[in-house]
Amino acid sequence: MSLIKKLAMAGAVAIMGLGVGATSASAASIDGISGNPYHYTGFATNDHSFSMGGAYTITCPANFTTFSGVADGTATTDVAPYYGGNEASPNGTGYVCEFFGLPVRVQQHGSWSASVTGGPDLAGWYTGQIHIPSGSSTTIEIPIMGCSYRVAGPQTFAHGVNGNIARARNVSGGVELEALVNGIAYTQTGCPFPDGNDGGYSTNGVVDIPGIEINP
């Protein structure tokens, strides 16, 4: 799901603004550089990807992928990912993602939340967690197979648990976010794989989120 350039906020997903080390989570804040509240949009620098069953991968192009939310001076921000999955997208169908070369539509319903839980470390990275709340879901449609895949909340993914990466750091003019999430539970309808809890999601690099900063 990398779905637009020059941004950041995947991951997360956010990711979303996250850390490890010197600072306590309660003291950290996600702020607009020019003041709060600040409405941001982050842009993917690489294609984002979803996987399940250890063998099936859906890829969403960076130029259709964004993460939008509001920085309000707290340690948590609600983030709405977008993967080009609506009828108003530039190609008129929303089927901009890909599964083994087949067109796929990825639609997001509701927001994720990203919280700072630690940091910064010596490289400036804050770590955190990504939470998919109850009522939020991601639906992946593979029409040529009559198949769909769905991730729904509540699910929580903390940095360092099960190999997860959920981190962000301040850069000139904004924040860059990186997320690699494992152990996602999903259900399927008509797909050649069963329901499972071995799903994965990756920003495959950073998401650029201009206009915000993380403060200890």
Side-chain angles (χ1 to χ4, degrees):
M1 303 175 162
S2 146
L3 325 290
I4 277 188
K5 282 180 181 171
K6 267 288 98 184
L7 124 113
M9 193 54 300
V13 141
I15 31 246
M16 322 186 176
L18 325 153
V20 118
T23 305
S24 68
S26 61
S29 63
I30 304 168
D31 300 286
I33 293 174
S34 59
N36 297 323
Y38 179 78
H39 295 259
Y40 61 80
T41 297
F43 304 89
T45 58
N46 294 291
D47 294 351
H48 289 203
S49 59
F50 296 86
S51 64
M52 56 278 194
Y56 302 96
T57 299
I58 289 93
T59 302
C60 293
N63 61 316
F64 284 103
T65 300
T66 59
F67 285 56
S68 300
V70 179
D72 62 3
T74 66
T76 299
T77 180
D78 289 336
V79 180
Y82 176 68
Y83 305 101
N86 66 31
E87 300 297 331
S89 60
N91 71 353
T93 69
Y95 293 93
V96 299
C97 301
E98 181 179 292
F99 176 70
F100 288 116
L102 303 173
V104 172
R105 178 166 65 179
V106 178
Q107 297 188 86
Q108 176 65 31
H109 307 277
S111 297
W112 301 343
S113 68
S115 300
V116 179
T117 58
D121 64 12
L122 293 178
W125 287 103
Y126 291 83
T127 56
Q129 71 175 22
I130 298 167
H131 177 64
I132 304 173
S134 179
S136 176
S137 65
T138 306
T139 302
I140 299 168
E141 302 173 58
I142 310 171
I144 198 169
M145 300 175 67
C147 166
S148 66
Y149 155 86
R150 185 173 183 266
V151 174
Q155 299 189 56
T156 298
F157 309 96
H159 180 85
V161 177
N162 197 26
N164 295 333
I165 296 172
R167 64 181 188 170
R169 64 181 174 184
N170 296 321
V171 294
S172 179
V175 161
E176 58 182 20
L177 163 75
E178 182 178 14
L180 172 62
V181 176
N182 299 298
I184 300 173
Y186 58 87
T187 58
Q188 61 80 32
T189 302
C191 293
F193 45 84
D195 297 351
N197 58 5
D198 57 358
Y201 174 73
S202 180
T203 59
N204 296 311
V206 300
V207 173
D208 294 327
I209 310 172
I212 67 170
E213 61 187 356
I214 304 168
N215 291 304

